[in-house]
Amino acid sequence: MVKAKDIVSDYNGYDYKKIFWEDADRKYEDAADRMAVKKLLPKHMDKFVDIAGGYGRLADEYIPRSKSATLFDYSQSELDDAKKKYGKKLNTVQGDIYKLPFKDGEFSSLMMIRATHHFKDIDKVVAELYRILQPGGVAVIEVANKRTLPRIARYLTGRTKISPFDHKVANLTDVAKSGFYNYHPKYIEDIFEKQGFKIDKVLSVSNFRSAGLKKIFGTKNLVKMEKGAQTVLAPIRFAPSIYYRLVKLGDK
Ligand SMILES: C[S@@+](CC[C@H](N)C(=O)[O-])C[C@H]1O[C@@H](n2cnc3c(N)ncnc32)[C@H](O)[C@@H]1O
């Protein structure tokens, strides 16, 4: 097993599926992620990799679309769970995101969902994703947004000093001891473009992520509302998750 120095959150031995998804009733968030992934991933993919894909929560979305599908993660226990469920349909590879064990241009498409908040050095991560993608290849990346409506409200009413408007990366140590990194959309978009990606499409995702709204409207209704909102609200980028479809520029 590859050991890394810079792991912010080690999922080895943590039952992410049960604790985070099932016990905390995140059906709405799961449905919102699936909707976005369905819209943004190419319909037919050759070699695909799910980076920091955990236990393969979204594998049933990409396996049917890919000739070959790989799940990459740091946590061997997450990968073992995925292998149990998907067997030969999914290759699993353990390693560290900062040194991906893949060749330059190895994949025709990739995705990385709900992982940017774990990385101290997002520039390096984006450079690695770019490197393993072939020219013309597609990357679907979810970014944890610091400029959400609740955070704007908290800032304007003096309940937090972290400004959602400045472009600096926010390290939310109030959420976890080692912190969660959140990004201003403009900050991350500059990194994508400097790296050589073209931003092809943007979606605003998990727009109604709130325990209060779940109680009032119920999960089913929130999922219905989410459907239209992902595209309509994309230009303002106020949701907690912003999804990007990026294309690696360069000749095929
Ligand atoms: C919140 S989970 C998201 C899993 C999956 N993408 C999903 O949406 O269900 C974050 C994942 O990032 C992985 N991770 C964290 N740091 C990593 C690193 N340095 N290299 C590779 N994976 C890492 C964790 O092991 C975990 O599985």
Side-chain angles (χ1 to χ4, degrees):
M1 177 170 155
V2 171
K3 284 267 177 200
K5 273 194 224 145
D6 222 2
I7 293 298
V8 172
S9 305
D10 190 345
Y11 280 59
N12 276 297
Y14 166 59
D15 196 344
Y16 171 57
K17 179 171 187 264
K18 181 171 185 311
I19 297 169
F20 187 85
W21 288 103
E22 294 168 357
D23 293 354
D25 183 14
R26 287 191 162 93
K27 288 193 190 73
Y28 158 72
E29 289 83 348
D30 180 59
D33 283 341
R34 286 174 188 278
M35 240 180 244
V37 162
K38 274 194 183 96
K39 285 181 207 159
L40 297 182
L41 280 183
K43 294 270 175 289
H44 304 285
M45 300 186 290
D46 191 16
K47 272 194 99 179
F48 170 83
V49 61
D50 179 5
I51 299 287
Y55 64 90
R57 175 174 64 98
L58 300 167
D60 47 352
E61 303 296 343
Y62 53 74
I63 288 175
R65 296 183 185 205
S66 348
K67 277 194 192 152
S68 117
T70 298
L71 175 68
F72 170 82
D73 202 275
Y74 183 67
S75 161
Q76 189 59 52
S77 61
E78 292 290 305
L79 294 173
D80 290 346
D81 287 348
K83 202 69 196 168
K84 251 183 240 155
K85 179 156 184 201
Y86 293 102
K88 280 187 184 153
K89 287 186 198 158
L90 192 60
N91 313 309
T92 52
V93 177
Q94 191 273 335
D96 180 16
I97 190 123
Y98 293 108
K99 276 192 208 141
L100 289 173
F102 303 118
K103 286 192 244 127
D104 295 359
E106 185 162 339
F107 296 96
S108 60
S109 38
L110 63 83
M111 74 177 197
M112 188 176 80
I113 310 299
R114 287 179 176 262
T116 55
H117 57 287
H118 289 316
F119 306 135
K120 250 188 211 161
D121 192 346
I122 196 70
D123 291 73
K124 250 196 212 162
V125 170
V126 172
E128 274 296 87
L129 299 181
Y130 186 86
R131 181 185 68 74
I132 64 165
L133 208 54
Q134 70 188 37
V138 171
V140 172
I141 302 179
E142 182 268 353
V143 175
N145 184 14
K146 73 180 274 195
R147 200 192 54 177
T148 62
L149 283 181
R151 294 225 184 94
I152 292 174
R154 251 180 272 147
Y155 180 67
L156 295 180
T157 52
R159 281 176 292 154
T160 176
K161 287 205 169 83
I162 300 175
S163 165
F165 303 114
D166 81 36
H167 293 186
K168 252 192 354 223
V169 178
N171 186 6
L172 309 177
T173 43
D174 54 333
V175 184
K177 218 168 125 202
S178 49
F180 277 144
Y181 299 94
N182 277 204
Y183 307 87
H184 190 285
K186 178 80 178 87
Y187 175 87
I188 199 80
E189 288 165 24
D190 281 352
I191 291 179
F192 290 152
E193 286 177 336
K194 266 188 212 142
Q195 185 59 57
F197 280 117
K198 181 184 111 187
I199 300 174
D200 185 44
K201 188 154 174 72
V202 182
L203 293 176
S204 169
V205 176
S206 267
N207 294 283
F208 311 110
R209 186 186 293 174
S210 134
L213 290 177
K214 274 184 201 169
K215 260 195 198 146
I216 299 169
F217 294 102
T219 296
K220 260 193 184 165
N221 288 320
L222 287 188
V223 171
K224 275 188 204 155
M225 285 152 65
E226 174 78 14
K227 257 188 190 152
Q230 290 196 343
T231 307
V232 173
L233 299 180
I236 56 175
R237 302 191 185 10
F238 281 155
S241 278
I242 308 295
Y243 270 66
Y244 293 92
R245 181 169 63 208
L246 309 172
V247 178
K248 175 169 173 168
L249 296 174
D251 297 329
K252 276 197 186 187

